[in-house]
Amino acid sequence: MSDEIPIVSQDYWFKVIEMLQQNWALIDETDGAVIVYFVSDTGGVFDEIAFDSVDVARASLSGNGFLRFIDDPKAASFLSPLTPPFTLQPHPNGPIYSSGRFWKGLPKS
């Protein structure tokens, strides 16, 4: 059984990885923290990165090839955002974004 991740945000971002596969991101701002959760097509949260603000998180997502779903009306013709509950499901290659392997400009911790 997987652990449920309570994500409040419904501001979906997406990045097409390959044909018929995309990664989703949600910027969640709770208790003064800004966390971007990365979610697979199956609703599994496989990584997360903390940011100083929502603006910095949005700029970082955009700079790494993610598009805001609501700003891309064409995307709705071939993609459908996931719905909660989201569960913890580690990626087979580990934390691919927070490790810096596939992310430019990680925030300093």
Side-chain angles (χ1 to χ4, degrees), residues 7-26:
I7 301 173
V8 176
S9 175
Q10 294 183 359
D11 186 16
Y12 290 89
W13 291 68
F14 70 97
K15 181 176 184 177
V16 176
I17 304 302
E18 33 182 69
M19 192 67 156
L20 301 175
Q21 181 184 357
Q22 61 276 334
N23 286 339
W24 292 89
L26 289 161

Side-chain angles (χ1 to χ4, degrees), residues 14 16 20 22 24 68-81:
F14 70 97
V16 176
L20 301 175
Q22 61 276 334
W24 292 89
R68 192 173 182 202
F69 187 74
I70 198 167
D71 293 340
D72 189 346
K74 191 174 165 183
S77 69
F78 64 93
L79 291 177
S80 188

Side-chain angles (χ1 to χ4, degrees), residues 12-60:
Y12 290 89
W13 291 68
F14 70 97
K15 181 176 184 177
V16 176
I17 304 302
E18 33 182 69
M19 192 67 156
L20 301 175
Q21 181 184 357
Q22 61 276 334
N23 286 339
W24 292 89
L26 289 161
I27 303 170
D28 208 38
E29 186 177 19
T30 53
D31 299 327
V34 176
I35 307 286
V36 172
Y37 291 100
F38 297 96
V39 185
S40 70
D41 288 342
T42 61
V45 175
F46 63 87
D47 205 353
E48 65 183 63
I49 300 175
F51 290 92
D52 291 336
S53 70
V54 170
D55 289 339
V56 172
R58 287 179 177 160
S60 193

Side-chain angles (χ1 to χ4, degrees), residues 75-106:
S77 69
F78 64 93
L79 291 177
S80 188
L82 305 163
T83 56
F86 299 109
T87 57
L88 182 61
Q89 294 177 4
H91 193 280
N93 294 318
I96 62 170
Y97 293 130
S98 65
S99 69
R101 282 179 54 205
F102 297 103
W103 198 262
K104 296 180 274 182
L106 275 177

